[in-house]
Amino acid sequence: MSRKKISQTDQKKKTQRGGNSIPWRYRVFTLICGLFLITGFFIAARQHFSSIDYSIKNSRLRRQLDELEADKRRLMLAKEIALSPAEIKKVAKKIGFTETANKIAAVPSGFNSAVKPRAEKVKQAISSKIEVVKKTAETSLGEVLKTKKSPETKDKSDKPQTRRSP
């Protein structure tokens, strides 16, 4: 076995490579790929947080819709009760009217001139309360319909603010 002799100039060439062994093109390409990857991570995180915001707003709007529908049902029930014949008879008896032969007498028994203005005031109060209940039910229904938007009428202002990670 013999050793191969290497001249000193050849040895210097092999040992003097220097610190810059990777060409600059590969470094730039690696840097661009790294930036592209990091940008993708930031975009994915932004979409993730915006979808979380949308789901929170969606659940809040669903809860509000359920509450408004419950209020609407409650107001409709109150309206039906206020307009029922039994409730009207009860209010008429409170005022002082009497029922004879399934008809309410137009003039209550023991009528005097002081009762008539009071009866008219009570009648107006009842009709105004019925109107208030009707208006409240209509506005609640209108609010429910306004909050329930179709996908075609979405505004860009409804987009949530995205959270930025530190």
Side-chain angles (χ1 to χ4, degrees), residues 14-165:
K14 286 184 180 180
T15 58
Q16 290 181 354
R17 275 191 191 165
N20 197 4
S21 61
I22 301 173
W24 66 272
R25 290 182 192 143
Y26 292 122
R27 288 183 183 182
V28 170
F29 182 70
T30 305
L31 181 68
I32 290 172
C33 289
L35 289 175
F36 185 72
L37 185 66
I38 290 171
T39 304
F41 281 130
F42 277 111
I43 290 172
R46 188 170 139 215
Q47 286 178 346
H48 172 73
F49 288 123
S50 69
S51 70
I52 289 174
D53 286 342
Y54 278 132
S55 66
I56 290 171
K57 285 186 177 185
N58 190 15
S59 65
R60 192 178 310 137
L61 287 174
R62 283 185 196 276
R63 195 176 334 114
Q64 184 181 13
L65 180 66
D66 290 341
E67 290 171 1
L68 289 174
E69 286 175 348
D71 285 345
K72 178 185 170 194
R73 285 190 296 270
R74 183 183 55 80
L75 290 172
M76 293 292 277
L77 180 65
K79 175 184 168 187
E80 292 299 322
I81 289 173
L83 293 176
S84 69
E87 191 68 25
I88 292 173
K89 285 180 184 179
K90 188 192 298 183
V91 172
K93 283 183 182 179
K94 274 186 181 179
I95 294 172
F97 287 96
T98 59
E99 184 176 352
T100 56
N102 292 333
K103 293 183 180 178
I104 297 178
V107 179
S109 60
F111 179 73
N112 60 25
S113 61
V115 174
K116 187 174 181 181
R118 183 172 178 230
E120 289 297 321
K121 286 180 183 178
V122 170
K123 184 178 177 184
Q124 289 175 353
I126 291 172
S127 64
S128 67
K129 285 185 180 181
I130 290 172
E131 289 299 318
V132 168
V133 168
K134 284 181 182 178
K135 287 179 182 178
T136 308
E138 289 172 359
T139 56
S140 295
L141 178 62
E143 289 174 6
V144 167
L145 294 176
K146 285 179 184 176
T147 58
K148 196 174 187 181
K149 291 183 177 180
S150 63
E152 298 88 29
T153 59
K154 284 185 180 175
D155 291 339
K156 291 185 179 181
S157 62
D158 291 343
K159 287 189 175 181
Q161 297 289 330
T162 57
R163 289 186 241 152
R164 295 184 182 179
S165 58

Side-chain angles (χ1 to χ4, degrees), residues 8-20:
Q8 285 190 1
T9 57
D10 288 340
Q11 282 180 344
K12 285 183 182 177
K13 285 182 183 176
K14 286 184 180 180
T15 58
Q16 290 181 354
R17 275 191 191 165
N20 197 4

